[in-house]
Amino acid sequence: LVVEIQSPSQSSKDMTDKLEPYFYFGVKSCWIVVPDFRGIFVYNDPFHYTFFHDETLLKDVALGIDVDLKRIFE
């Protein structure tokens, strides 16, 4: 698992450009946390993601992890 937290100075492209090398080296899941949106993009490959936001339950099926976003963004 790789978790990246997007800073205000980073673009979405900056964040997603890193995905292919991560998966090439065996990462199974990559989360991009976007504090401004109170959400997390969960990538299970470099070109497919699910966006979880606000008070939803994040489910990472690749790793079998469930996370309550409400607790993350308190």
Side-chain angles (χ1 to χ4, degrees):
L1 170 64
V2 170
V3 177
E4 294 268 357
I5 301 173
Q6 187 174 15
S7 71
S9 64
Q10 287 178 301
S11 71
S12 296
K13 182 169 179 2
D14 291 339
M15 302 301 290
T16 57
D17 282 349
K18 301 175 186 180
L19 293 173
E20 281 191 71
Y22 288 152
F23 285 99
Y24 176 79
F25 285 106
V27 169
K28 302 291 184 213
S29 183
C30 184
W31 299 6
I32 297 178
V33 180
V34 185
D36 288 344
F37 294 161
R38 297 178 53 90
I40 300 175
F41 291 90
V42 176
Y43 284 82
N44 60 6
D45 72 49
F47 308 104
H48 179 263
Y49 67 85
T50 304
F51 182 64
F52 298 92
H53 68 289
D54 291 329
E55 296 185 16
T56 61
L57 183 67
L58 181 152
K59 291 183 176 258
D60 186 328
V61 294
L63 300 177
I65 296 173
D66 294 344
V67 177
D68 182 358
L69 288 186
K70 184 171 39 180
R71 296 188 69 197
I72 298 244
F73 292 107
E74 288 183 318

